[in-house]
Amino acid sequence: MRSSHRLRLPSKYFNILIAVLTFVLCLWLTPVVAQALTKAPVILDGQELFKISDSGQYSAQERTKSINSQLKNAIQTSEFIQVKIEKRNQLPIILLNGRYLLTVTEQDTVPGSTIDEQASIWMQQIEEALQEARLERTRTYLQKTTFVAVAILLITAGFTWLLGWIKHHSFRVASQRLTPTSNAISNSEPLKVLELFFKLVLASMRIGLWISAILYITNLFPFTRQWSYQISNILITSFTSPILTLGKNPYSLSELIILIGLLFGLVIFAGTLTNFLRSRILSFTGINRGAQEAIIILFKYGLIFIGTLVLLQIWGLDISSLTILASALSVGIGFGLQDIAKNFGSGLVLVFERPIQVGDFVEVGEYTGTVERIGGRSTEIRTLDHVSIIVPNSRFLEKEVINWSHRNPISRLHLPVGVAYSSDPQAVQAALLDAASKHPNVLQTPSPLVLFKEFGNNTLNFELLVWTAEPNKQFLLKSDLYYNIYEALQQRQIEIPFPQLDLHLRSGTLEFTPEMQLALIQMSERLSNNKQRIDPINPSQNQR
C-alpha cells in the first residue's frame, strides 16, 4: 500500500492537506497517460486478480467489463460456486456456474506458459477470490474487521502524537548541538531553517501515516476496497507520470519532490557547516567579528550556489535549459522583487566595503544599538533595551549612519554643565576634571578637557569632554559622570542654579509724545459723547 498526500489530519495541517488534495485532483483530471493500454485488469472487490489482453474484435476493456459484472453477480447469489474449464475450438474456456465467463487466448498467456496452464491458474484464482468475497460479507467477518479498523485509528492517533513529541525532542537536541549558548543570537537563522525542516518532515510523516491508515481500512472491507484500489492507482500514476519537461528530459512529481528535498537538505547542510566554521575554526583565528561574518556569508551563499548547480547536473537537468527561467526571473526582479534585489545587493556592498561590521555600535535613524548579524537581505541591530531591530540593508547606503566603532572605537563624549555666576571658573574646572578622573571607563589618554562655553542667561556654561573605548556604554558612562560631577560641585559649594526671571520696577514720571497726547484727547472726547447719548434713568428720551 502506497502512502501519499491526502485526507484526515489534525486541524493545523488542514490547509496543507487542502492544497495537496487540489493538486492530486488536478493530476487526476489531467490525462497523465496518453498511451492506450494493451491489457486490462480483472477486478473483484477492488482486488486485481489478473490481466487480459485484446482478443479479436473485443478490446481488453470490453472483456474485463463483462467478466467483472459476472463475478459481482456471482457473489450476490446464494448458489454454489462452480468454476470449470472446457475446450472449444482448440481454446480453453472458463465457465462460472455453467455460464460462459472467459476464453483464454495466446495473447493472455505469460512467457513460458501454455494457454491450458494459464487457464488452470486463472480458474483457481477466480474460485478462491469468489469464496473469499462471500466470506468477507458474513456478519462475523464484518464485526471483526470493524474492531480492527477502530484499533488502527486509535493506534494512528497515538503515533501522530508520538511523532510530534519526537519532533519536539529532536529539534531541541539538534538546536542545542547546533548553537552554543554564547552565540545563540547570531545563529538564529540556521535555527529557523532547521525548525522549518522539522515541521515539514513532521507534516509529511503525519499525512503519510493517516493516508496509509485510511487506505488500509478501506482495503479491509469489500464494499470500500474498490475505492482504495482506485485512489492508489491514481496516486501512483500521478506521482510517477511525467508532468514537466525541461529540455529533452521529462520529470515526474516524485522526482521533483526528491529534488526539492535535496535542495532543502543543501540549505540545512550549508547552515550547519557555516555554524561549525564560525564556532570551531574562525573563533580561534583571532579575526575580528565583522571579518568572521563576512567570510561566513560569502562561504554560505557560495556553497549553496555551487551545490545547487552540482545537484541539478547530477539530477540530469541541463543548466542551459534554465535560460528561459532566468529571463523570467529577471523580469520578476525588475517588477515585483526589486526591493529584495536592492536589499540583497546592498548586503553584498556591506560585506565587501564593510562600513559596518558585526559588533559595531551604530545609530540608524531613531535606532541605536549593536550590530548582531548582517544577512543577505537585512541587518539585525540589538538595542540597549535588548530589543532586536531588523533593518533593510539598503537603508545603510541610502541614509546617514553613525558608526561609533568604525575603524577606531575610541570616541569623545560631551557633557554640558551650568553653574551660578558667583562661581569661580577655576574651581569649576578642577571639580569637573576630578569627577572624570574617578571613573575607570574614562581614558586618561587623550586626557579629559573642560571648555568654558559661554555666559548664559542664568549660568556660566561649561562642557566636559571625555574619551571612552566603549561607546556602547556611553549612556551609563554619562549617568555615572553626572553623579560624580554633582558630588564634586557640592563638596566645593558651587551652586547649580535653576532658570529664573528678575523683574525690576522703578518710580518716576511718564512722558508722552505729542502724537500720543492727541490720540488720548480724542479718545476721551468720544467716550464723553457716548455717555451723553445714553441716559440710564430715562432711556426713552435717548431715542430719536
Side-chain angles (χ1 to χ4, degrees), residues 462-478:
F462 293 83
E463 189 172 48
L464 174 62
L465 306 180
V466 297
W467 296 85
T468 178
E470 298 177 303
N472 58 325
K473 298 181 179 179
Q474 58 178 289
F475 300 101
L476 295 176
L477 177 59
K478 285 184 177 180

Side-chain angles (χ1 to χ4, degrees), residues 92 151 153 164 172 176 191 199 213-214 255 270 283 296-297 337 342 374-375 407 428 436 455 457 461 474 497 532:
L153 289 177
R172 184 176 59 185
Q176 290 176 354
L191 286 180
K199 287 182 178 180
I214 292 174
E255 292 174 331
S283 59
I296 288 171
I297 290 175
L337 304 177
K342 179 176 66 174
I374 301 177
R407 295 183 181 177
V428 173
F455 295 93
N457 293 330
N461 294 329
Q474 58 178 289
Q532 292 176 359

Side-chain angles (χ1 to χ4, degrees), residues 280-345:
R280 304 291 181 178
I281 299 177
L282 294 179
S283 59
F284 298 103
T285 59
I287 304 176
N288 63 68
R289 191 177 174 187
Q292 292 182 22
E293 288 298 323
I295 294 173
I296 288 171
I297 290 175
L298 293 177
F299 179 80
K300 178 180 179 180
Y301 288 104
L303 181 61
I304 292 176
F305 178 75
I306 297 174
T308 301
L309 295 180
V310 172
L311 283 178
L312 293 178
Q313 290 284 0
I314 296 175
W315 193 59
L317 179 63
D318 187 7
I319 303 300
S320 61
S321 63
L322 298 178
T323 53
I324 299 177
L325 180 62
S327 302
L329 183 61
S330 62
V331 174
I333 292 175
F335 288 97
L337 304 177
Q338 53 182 347
D339 290 338
I340 297 178
K342 179 176 66 174
N343 290 324
F344 185 79

Side-chain angles (χ1 to χ4, degrees), residues 512-526:
F512 298 98
T513 61
E515 292 80 3
M516 186 173 292
Q517 291 178 4
L518 180 60
L520 291 175
I521 293 173
Q522 292 176 354
M523 185 184 304
S524 176
E525 291 177 353
R526 268 194 228 101

Side-chain angles (χ1 to χ4, degrees), residues 127-146:
E127 187 174 1
E128 293 177 354
L130 290 174
Q131 296 292 347
E132 183 181 358
R134 284 192 173 183
L135 177 63
E136 289 178 347
R137 282 164 172 78
T138 61
R139 184 175 181 179
T140 304
Y141 176 84
L142 293 177
Q143 290 178 348
K144 179 181 178 182
T145 305
T146 303

